[in-house]
């Protein structure tokens, strides 16, 4: 098998019935619930939510023509991503807005893809983004988190298991969705000018309540997708 065939076999969607059976889904959801509600575990797991938040800023920034120069994750579970470009304008607004909705959107996409055989392409895309961002890491903690994320994603990708991949995506998708709501709850209480909605308000002169409302709408739509997938599987 040459390298092209090896990569191809790990990227193409799965065939046949790949949906999680109800008993297996219950186990996955139970594990996700433990990670969310047990506070010591959540303090570690929420770094994944922060990572996706910051990479959301970065990826959207690149897509709208900005230059992604670096990002950090901090011990208090906050983070910061830097993109260079015009200080105002739609590109800056789009990259700033993306942080809070992206974990919810990605979580919903993971759950949706897992039920349709698209786990492998989703993992491939995620691994590509992580590798792209690796050279832009700017702190020791970020190096550790990125290393764990890349190694685990690469292992899941290389030793492809069409039964295991959907389970991981569903569990991680639910954690990202709940994490998005928890992060959103914190920012709704934050009145500082340096928060994402505060920056958006200063960039556009639209009230921060409007931007917070847009985050809520996106998270609600993502939740609807995830709940619909769960109900369909458990029915």
């Amino acid at each position: 098998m040459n390298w092209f065939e090896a990569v191809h076999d790990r990227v193409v969607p799965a065939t046949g019935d790949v949906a999680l059976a109800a008993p297996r889904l219950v186990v996955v959801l139970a594990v996700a619930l433990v990670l969310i509600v047990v506070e010591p575990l959540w303090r570690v797991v929420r770094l994944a939510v922060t990572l996706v938040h910051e990479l959301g800023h970065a990826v959207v920034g690149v897509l709208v023509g900005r230059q992604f120069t670096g990002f950090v994750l901090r011990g208090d579970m906050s983070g910061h991503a830097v993109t260079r470009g015009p200080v105002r304008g739609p590109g800056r607004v789009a990259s700033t807005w993306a942080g809070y909705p992206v974990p919810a959107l990605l979580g919903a996409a993971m759950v949706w893809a897992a039920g349709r055989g698209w786990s492998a392409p989703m993992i491939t895309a995620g691994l590509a983004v992580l590798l792209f961002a690796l050279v832009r890491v700017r702190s020791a903690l970020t190096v550790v988190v990125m290393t764990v994320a890349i190694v685990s994603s690469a292992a899941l990708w290389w030793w492809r298991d069409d039964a295991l991949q959907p389970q991981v995506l569903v569990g991680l998708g639910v954690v990202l969705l709940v994490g998005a709501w928890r992060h959103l709850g914190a920012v709704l209480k934050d009145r500082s000018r340096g928060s994402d909605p505060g920056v958006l308000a200063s960039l556009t002169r639209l009230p921060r309540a409007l931007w917070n409302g847009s985050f809520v709408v996106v998270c609600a739509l993502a939740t609807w997708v995830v709940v619909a997938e769960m109900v369909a599987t458990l029915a």
Side-chain angles (χ1 to χ4, degrees):
M1 180 183 293
N2 59 36
W3 68 268
F4 178 81
E5 292 174 334
V7 171
H8 177 268
D9 290 346
R10 290 163 176 80
V11 172
V12 295
T15 58
D17 185 7
V18 296
L20 291 182
R24 188 168 294 178
L25 176 60
V26 170
V27 172
V28 171
L29 293 177
V31 172
L33 180 63
V34 169
L35 294 175
I36 292 165
V37 301
V38 177
E39 195 60 29
L41 294 176
W42 173 247
R43 284 198 294 268
V44 176
V45 172
R46 68 175 290 191
L47 279 168
V49 184
T50 304
L51 174 62
V52 173
H53 175 113
E54 300 306 332
L55 292 183
H57 286 308
V59 171
V60 172
V62 170
L63 291 176
V64 298
R66 298 179 66 82
Q67 181 183 6
F68 175 36
T69 60
F71 76 109
V72 297
L73 303 177
R74 305 187 182 96
D76 62 357
M77 308 307 164
S78 65
H80 184 61
V82 178
T83 61
R84 289 182 180 174
V87 296
R88 306 188 75 86
R92 175 77 190 284
V93 171
S95 62
T96 302
W97 179 85
Y100 283 100
V102 162
L105 289 173
L106 180 59
M110 285 179 167
V111 172
W112 185 90
R116 288 161 178 79
W118 281 76
S119 298
M122 177 70 71
I123 293 168
T124 303
L127 183 58
V129 171
L130 290 171
L131 291 172
F132 162 75
L134 181 61
V135 296
R136 293 160 179 84
V137 167
R138 296 295 182 266
S139 77
L141 176 61
T142 315
V143 170
V144 173
V145 174
M146 286 290 287
T147 299
V148 172
I150 289 173
V151 170
S152 57
S153 298
L156 191 63
W157 180 80
W158 182 256
W159 288 287
R160 174 173 177 170
D161 184 328
D162 289 340
L164 178 62
Q165 286 185 346
Q167 296 177 60
V168 174
L169 284 192
V170 169
L172 182 56
V174 170
V175 169
L176 287 176
L177 177 62
V178 175
W181 279 112
R182 293 184 70 162
H183 281 203
L184 181 56
V187 82
L188 291 177
K189 302 173 185 176
D190 187 350
R191 307 302 299 175
S192 68
R193 294 175 59 87
S195 66
D196 288 358
V199 172
L200 288 166
S202 66
L203 288 172
T204 63
R205 300 190 184 280
L206 296 174
R208 72 169 62 217
L210 178 64
W211 297 109
N212 284 333
S214 72
F215 299 153
V216 171
V217 169
V218 172
C219 288
L221 290 173
T223 302
W224 179 82
V225 170
V226 171
V227 170
E229 291 292 321
M230 299 297 100
V231 170
T233 301
L234 294 172

PDB file of all heavy atoms in Angstrom, residues 138-163:
ATOM      1  N   ARG A 138       2.034  29.960  21.447  1.00  0.00           N
ATOM      2  CA  ARG A 138       2.858  30.977  22.082  1.00  0.00           C
ATOM      3  C   ARG A 138       2.982  30.807  23.597  1.00  0.00           C
ATOM      4  O   ARG A 138       3.308  31.761  24.304  1.00  0.00           O
ATOM      5  CB  ARG A 138       2.282  32.377  21.783  1.00  0.00           C
ATOM      6  CG  ARG A 138       2.307  32.773  20.306  1.00  0.00           C
ATOM      7  CD  ARG A 138       3.715  32.911  19.796  1.00  0.00           C
ATOM      8  NE  ARG A 138       3.768  33.336  18.407  1.00  0.00           N
ATOM      9  CZ  ARG A 138       3.867  32.518  17.369  1.00  0.00           C
ATOM     10  NH1 ARG A 138       3.925  31.203  17.581  1.00  0.00           N
ATOM     11  NH2 ARG A 138       3.910  32.982  16.144  1.00  0.00           N
ATOM     12  N   SER A 139       2.711  29.614  24.136  1.00  0.00           N
ATOM     13  CA  SER A 139       2.901  29.380  25.567  1.00  0.00           C
ATOM     14  C   SER A 139       3.112  27.900  25.826  1.00  0.00           C
ATOM     15  O   SER A 139       2.712  27.050  25.014  1.00  0.00           O
ATOM     16  CB  SER A 139       1.706  29.893  26.378  1.00  0.00           C
ATOM     17  OG  SER A 139       0.604  29.004  26.276  1.00  0.00           O
ATOM     18  N   ALA A 140       3.729  27.582  26.971  1.00  0.00           N
ATOM     19  CA  ALA A 140       4.021  26.187  27.311  1.00  0.00           C
ATOM     20  C   ALA A 140       2.741  25.380  27.491  1.00  0.00           C
ATOM     21  O   ALA A 140       2.642  24.227  27.039  1.00  0.00           O
ATOM     22  CB  ALA A 140       4.876  26.127  28.569  1.00  0.00           C
ATOM     23  N   LEU A 141       1.746  25.950  28.186  1.00  0.00           N
ATOM     24  CA  LEU A 141       0.486  25.238  28.391  1.00  0.00           C
ATOM     25  C   LEU A 141      -0.174  24.932  27.053  1.00  0.00           C
ATOM     26  O   LEU A 141      -0.715  23.833  26.854  1.00  0.00           O
ATOM     27  CB  LEU A 141      -0.454  26.058  29.270  1.00  0.00           C
ATOM     28  CG  LEU A 141      -1.855  25.467  29.480  1.00  0.00           C
ATOM     29  CD1 LEU A 141      -1.773  24.115  30.159  1.00  0.00           C
ATOM     30  CD2 LEU A 141      -2.740  26.427  30.275  1.00  0.00           C
ATOM     31  N   THR A 142      -0.110  25.874  26.143  1.00  0.00           N
ATOM     32  CA  THR A 142      -0.709  25.661  24.831  1.00  0.00           C
ATOM     33  C   THR A 142      -0.007  24.535  24.091  1.00  0.00           C
ATOM     34  O   THR A 142      -0.646  23.739  23.389  1.00  0.00           O
ATOM     35  CB  THR A 142      -0.657  26.949  23.997  1.00  0.00           C
ATOM     36  OG1 THR A 142      -1.055  28.057  24.805  1.00  0.00           O
ATOM     37  CG2 THR A 142      -1.587  26.866  22.806  1.00  0.00           C
ATOM     38  N   VAL A 143       1.309  24.438  24.243  1.00  0.00           N
ATOM     39  CA  VAL A 143       2.066  23.343  23.629  1.00  0.00           C
ATOM     40  C   VAL A 143       1.564  22.010  24.160  1.00  0.00           C
ATOM     41  O   VAL A 143       1.349  21.052  23.401  1.00  0.00           O
ATOM     42  CB  VAL A 143       3.574  23.495  23.893  1.00  0.00           C
ATOM     43  CG1 VAL A 143       4.317  22.231  23.475  1.00  0.00           C
ATOM     44  CG2 VAL A 143       4.132  24.708  23.162  1.00  0.00           C
ATOM     45  N   VAL A 144       1.358  21.920  25.473  1.00  0.00           N
ATOM     46  CA  VAL A 144       0.897  20.671  26.081  1.00  0.00           C
ATOM     47  C   VAL A 144      -0.485  20.294  25.556  1.00  0.00           C
ATOM     48  O   VAL A 144      -0.727  19.147  25.146  1.00  0.00           O
ATOM     49  CB  VAL A 144       0.870  20.800  27.617  1.00  0.00           C
ATOM     50  CG1 VAL A 144       0.220  19.563  28.244  1.00  0.00           C
ATOM     51  CG2 VAL A 144       2.279  20.983  28.163  1.00  0.00           C
ATOM     52  N   VAL A 145      -1.404  21.257  25.558  1.00  0.00           N
ATOM     53  CA  VAL A 145      -2.770  20.978  25.109  1.00  0.00           C
ATOM     54  C   VAL A 145      -2.775  20.581  23.634  1.00  0.00           C
ATOM     55  O   VAL A 145      -3.445  19.614  23.232  1.00  0.00           O
ATOM     56  CB  VAL A 145      -3.669  22.208  25.336  1.00  0.00           C
ATOM     57  CG1 VAL A 145      -5.052  21.982  24.742  1.00  0.00           C
ATOM     58  CG2 VAL A 145      -3.789  22.494  26.833  1.00  0.00           C
ATOM     59  N   MET A 146      -2.026  21.306  22.826  1.00  0.00           N
ATOM     60  CA  MET A 146      -1.982  20.994  21.398  1.00  0.00           C
ATOM     61  C   MET A 146      -1.346  19.626  21.143  1.00  0.00           C
ATOM     62  O   MET A 146      -1.789  18.878  20.260  1.00  0.00           O
ATOM     63  CB  MET A 146      -1.208  22.082  20.664  1.00  0.00           C
ATOM     64  CG  MET A 146      -1.970  23.388  20.516  1.00  0.00           C
ATOM     65  SD  MET A 146      -3.347  23.235  19.347  1.00  0.00           S
ATOM     66  CE  MET A 146      -2.445  23.162  17.798  1.00  0.00           C
ATOM     67  N   THR A 147      -0.328  19.286  21.907  1.00  0.00           N
ATOM     68  CA  THR A 147       0.311  17.981  21.737  1.00  0.00           C
ATOM     69  C   THR A 147      -0.667  16.850  22.042  1.00  0.00           C
ATOM     70  O   THR A 147      -0.766  15.870  21.286  1.00  0.00           O
ATOM     71  CB  THR A 147       1.547  17.863  22.645  1.00  0.00           C
ATOM     72  OG1 THR A 147       2.489  18.880  22.292  1.00  0.00           O
ATOM     73  CG2 THR A 147       2.196  16.501  22.498  1.00  0.00           C
ATOM     74  N   VAL A 148      -1.395  16.984  23.143  1.00  0.00           N
ATOM     75  CA  VAL A 148      -2.397  15.970  23.496  1.00  0.00           C
ATOM     76  C   VAL A 148      -3.457  15.874  22.406  1.00  0.00           C
ATOM     77  O   VAL A 148      -3.856  14.769  21.988  1.00  0.00           O
ATOM     78  CB  VAL A 148      -3.038  16.297  24.854  1.00  0.00           C
ATOM     79  CG1 VAL A 148      -4.220  15.367  25.123  1.00  0.00           C
ATOM     80  CG2 VAL A 148      -2.009  16.186  25.969  1.00  0.00           C
ATOM     81  N   ALA A 149      -3.933  17.028  21.947  1.00  0.00           N
ATOM     82  CA  ALA A 149      -4.986  17.043  20.927  1.00  0.00           C
ATOM     83  C   ALA A 149      -4.508  16.413  19.627  1.00  0.00           C
ATOM     84  O   ALA A 149      -5.227  15.619  18.995  1.00  0.00           O
ATOM     85  CB  ALA A 149      -5.459  18.471  20.678  1.00  0.00           C
ATOM     86  N   ILE A 150      -3.293  16.743  19.196  1.00  0.00           N
ATOM     87  CA  ILE A 150      -2.775  16.226  17.928  1.00  0.00           C
ATOM     88  C   ILE A 150      -2.478  14.734  18.018  1.00  0.00           C
ATOM     89  O   ILE A 150      -2.833  13.959  17.114  1.00  0.00           O
ATOM     90  CB  ILE A 150      -1.524  17.019  17.506  1.00  0.00           C
ATOM     91  CG1 ILE A 150      -1.922  18.436  17.077  1.00  0.00           C
ATOM     92  CG2 ILE A 150      -0.795  16.312  16.363  1.00  0.00           C
ATOM     93  CD1 ILE A 150      -0.755  19.349  16.809  1.00  0.00           C
ATOM     94  N   VAL A 151      -1.834  14.308  19.095  1.00  0.00           N
ATOM     95  CA  VAL A 151      -1.496  12.893  19.231  1.00  0.00           C
ATOM     96  C   VAL A 151      -2.762  12.029  19.295  1.00  0.00           C
ATOM     97  O   VAL A 151      -2.861  10.985  18.628  1.00  0.00           O
ATOM     98  CB  VAL A 151      -0.616  12.662  20.476  1.00  0.00           C
ATOM     99  CG1 VAL A 151      -0.462  11.178  20.767  1.00  0.00           C
ATOM    100  CG2 VAL A 151       0.755  13.308  20.283  1.00  0.00           C
ATOM    101  N   SER A 152      -3.734  12.453  20.078  1.00  0.00           N
ATOM    102  CA  SER A 152      -4.966  11.668  20.196  1.00  0.00           C
ATOM    103  C   SER A 152      -5.741  11.657  18.880  1.00  0.00           C
ATOM    104  O   SER A 152      -6.268  10.612  18.464  1.00  0.00           O
ATOM    105  CB  SER A 152      -5.837  12.203  21.334  1.00  0.00           C
ATOM    106  OG  SER A 152      -6.134  13.574  21.147  1.00  0.00           O
ATOM    107  N   SER A 153      -5.803  12.811  18.199  1.00  0.00           N
ATOM    108  CA  SER A 153      -6.502  12.867  16.915  1.00  0.00           C
ATOM    109  C   SER A 153      -5.783  12.032  15.862  1.00  0.00           C
ATOM    110  O   SER A 153      -6.427  11.328  15.063  1.00  0.00           O
ATOM    111  CB  SER A 153      -6.604  14.324  16.429  1.00  0.00           C
ATOM    112  OG  SER A 153      -7.356  15.110  17.323  1.00  0.00           O
ATOM    113  N   ALA A 154      -4.450  12.106  15.851  1.00  0.00           N
ATOM    114  CA  ALA A 154      -3.677  11.336  14.878  1.00  0.00           C
ATOM    115  C   ALA A 154      -3.842   9.835  15.108  1.00  0.00           C
ATOM    116  O   ALA A 154      -3.955   9.056  14.145  1.00  0.00           O
ATOM    117  CB  ALA A 154      -2.203  11.726  14.953  1.00  0.00           C
ATOM    118  N   ALA A 155      -3.860   9.413  16.368  1.00  0.00           N
ATOM    119  CA  ALA A 155      -4.061   7.993  16.666  1.00  0.00           C
ATOM    120  C   ALA A 155      -5.443   7.536  16.219  1.00  0.00           C
ATOM    121  O   ALA A 155      -5.601   6.462  15.623  1.00  0.00           O
ATOM    122  CB  ALA A 155      -3.872   7.753  18.161  1.00  0.00           C
ATOM    123  N   LEU A 156      -6.450   8.357  16.508  1.00  0.00           N
ATOM    124  CA  LEU A 156      -7.814   8.023  16.101  1.00  0.00           C
ATOM    125  C   LEU A 156      -7.922   7.964  14.577  1.00  0.00           C
ATOM    126  O   LEU A 156      -8.666   7.153  14.025  1.00  0.00           O
ATOM    127  CB  LEU A 156      -8.786   9.064  16.665  1.00  0.00           C
ATOM    128  CG  LEU A 156     -10.278   8.777  16.587  1.00  0.00           C
ATOM    129  CD1 LEU A 156     -10.634   7.553  17.411  1.00  0.00           C
ATOM    130  CD2 LEU A 156     -11.073   9.987  17.075  1.00  0.00           C
ATOM    131  N   TRP A 157      -7.164   8.817  13.891  1.00  0.00           N
ATOM    132  CA  TRP A 157      -7.176   8.866  12.432  1.00  0.00           C
ATOM    133  C   TRP A 157      -6.404   7.698  11.818  1.00  0.00           C
ATOM    134  O   TRP A 157      -6.897   7.026  10.921  1.00  0.00           O
ATOM    135  CB  TRP A 157      -6.566  10.187  11.980  1.00  0.00           C
ATOM    136  CG  TRP A 157      -6.501  10.387  10.507  1.00  0.00           C
ATOM    137  CD1 TRP A 157      -7.530  10.782   9.684  1.00  0.00           C
ATOM    138  CD2 TRP A 157      -5.355  10.210   9.659  1.00  0.00           C
ATOM    139  NE1 TRP A 157      -7.078  10.857   8.387  1.00  0.00           N
ATOM    140  CE2 TRP A 157      -5.757  10.517   8.334  1.00  0.00           C
ATOM    141  CE3 TRP A 157      -4.034   9.831   9.901  1.00  0.00           C
ATOM    142  CZ2 TRP A 157      -4.886  10.449   7.264  1.00  0.00           C
ATOM    143  CZ3 TRP A 157      -3.154   9.768   8.824  1.00  0.00           C
ATOM    144  CH2 TRP A 157      -3.569  10.081   7.529  1.00  0.00           C
ATOM    145  N   TRP A 158      -5.207   7.418  12.335  1.00  0.00           N
ATOM    146  CA  TRP A 158      -4.341   6.393  11.730  1.00  0.00           C
ATOM    147  C   TRP A 158      -4.888   4.989  11.965  1.00  0.00           C
ATOM    148  O   TRP A 158      -4.992   4.196  11.042  1.00  0.00           O
ATOM    149  CB  TRP A 158      -2.923   6.517  12.271  1.00  0.00           C
ATOM    150  CG  TRP A 158      -1.979   5.528  11.656  1.00  0.00           C
ATOM    151  CD1 TRP A 158      -1.488   4.378  12.209  1.00  0.00           C
ATOM    152  CD2 TRP A 158      -1.440   5.585  10.327  1.00  0.00           C
ATOM    153  NE1 TRP A 158      -0.668   3.720  11.324  1.00  0.00           N
ATOM    154  CE2 TRP A 158      -0.627   4.442  10.156  1.00  0.00           C
ATOM    155  CE3 TRP A 158      -1.559   6.495   9.283  1.00  0.00           C
ATOM    156  CZ2 TRP A 158       0.059   4.187   8.970  1.00  0.00           C
ATOM    157  CZ3 TRP A 158      -0.880   6.241   8.090  1.00  0.00           C
ATOM    158  CH2 TRP A 158      -0.079   5.096   7.953  1.00  0.00           C
ATOM    159  N   TRP A 159      -5.240   4.689  13.213  1.00  0.00           N
ATOM    160  CA  TRP A 159      -5.807   3.378  13.520  1.00  0.00           C
ATOM    161  C   TRP A 159      -7.329   3.464  13.405  1.00  0.00           C
ATOM    162  O   TRP A 159      -8.062   3.317  14.386  1.00  0.00           O
ATOM    163  CB  TRP A 159      -5.369   2.922  14.900  1.00  0.00           C
ATOM    164  CG  TRP A 159      -3.926   2.541  14.923  1.00  0.00           C
ATOM    165  CD1 TRP A 159      -3.365   1.431  14.377  1.00  0.00           C
ATOM    166  CD2 TRP A 159      -2.837   3.291  15.509  1.00  0.00           C
ATOM    167  NE1 TRP A 159      -2.001   1.433  14.579  1.00  0.00           N
ATOM    168  CE2 TRP A 159      -1.641   2.559  15.264  1.00  0.00           C
ATOM    169  CE3 TRP A 159      -2.754   4.498  16.187  1.00  0.00           C
ATOM    170  CZ2 TRP A 159      -0.397   3.005  15.696  1.00  0.00           C
ATOM    171  CZ3 TRP A 159      -1.509   4.954  16.610  1.00  0.00           C
ATOM    172  CH2 TRP A 159      -0.351   4.201  16.362  1.00  0.00           C
ATOM    173  N   ARG A 160      -7.761   3.701  12.228  1.00  0.00           N
ATOM    174  CA  ARG A 160      -9.179   3.974  11.974  1.00  0.00           C
ATOM    175  C   ARG A 160     -10.048   2.807  12.423  1.00  0.00           C
ATOM    176  O   ARG A 160      -9.797   1.657  12.051  1.00  0.00           O
ATOM    177  CB  ARG A 160      -9.391   4.250  10.490  1.00  0.00           C
ATOM    178  CG  ARG A 160     -10.850   4.396  10.103  1.00  0.00           C
ATOM    179  CD  ARG A 160     -11.029   4.835   8.682  1.00  0.00           C
ATOM    180  NE  ARG A 160     -12.428   4.889   8.328  1.00  0.00           N
ATOM    181  CZ  ARG A 160     -12.899   5.420   7.201  1.00  0.00           C
ATOM    182  NH1 ARG A 160     -12.057   5.938   6.319  1.00  0.00           N
ATOM    183  NH2 ARG A 160     -14.198   5.437   6.957  1.00  0.00           N
ATOM    184  N   ASP A 161     -11.055   3.141  13.209  1.00  0.00           N
ATOM    185  CA  ASP A 161     -12.031   2.157  13.667  1.00  0.00           C
ATOM    186  C   ASP A 161     -13.401   2.792  13.470  1.00  0.00           C
ATOM    187  O   ASP A 161     -13.762   3.740  14.166  1.00  0.00           O
ATOM    188  CB  ASP A 161     -11.785   1.815  15.138  1.00  0.00           C
ATOM    189  CG  ASP A 161     -12.711   0.728  15.653  1.00  0.00           C
ATOM    190  OD1 ASP A 161     -13.861   0.654  15.182  1.00  0.00           O
ATOM    191  OD2 ASP A 161     -12.296  -0.042  16.539  1.00  0.00           O
ATOM    192  N   ASP A 162     -14.153   2.284  12.514  1.00  0.00           N
ATOM    193  CA  ASP A 162     -15.427   2.906  12.167  1.00  0.00           C
ATOM    194  C   ASP A 162     -16.487   2.756  13.250  1.00  0.00           C
ATOM    195  O   ASP A 162     -17.553   3.390  13.159  1.00  0.00           O
ATOM    196  CB  ASP A 162     -15.955   2.328  10.851  1.00  0.00           C
ATOM    197  CG  ASP A 162     -15.139   2.801   9.656  1.00  0.00           C
ATOM    198  OD1 ASP A 162     -14.447   3.823   9.781  1.00  0.00           O
ATOM    199  OD2 ASP A 162     -15.194   2.137   8.601  1.00  0.00           O
ATOM    200  N   ALA A 163     -16.231   1.941  14.269  1.00  0.00           N
ATOM    201  CA  ALA A 163     -17.139   1.857  15.417  1.00  0.00           C
ATOM    202  C   ALA A 163     -16.729   2.854  16.500  1.00  0.00           C
ATOM    203  O   ALA A 163     -17.575   3.453  17.171  1.00  0.00           O
ATOM    204  CB  ALA A 163     -17.152   0.443  15.979  1.00  0.00           C
TER     205      ALA A 163
END
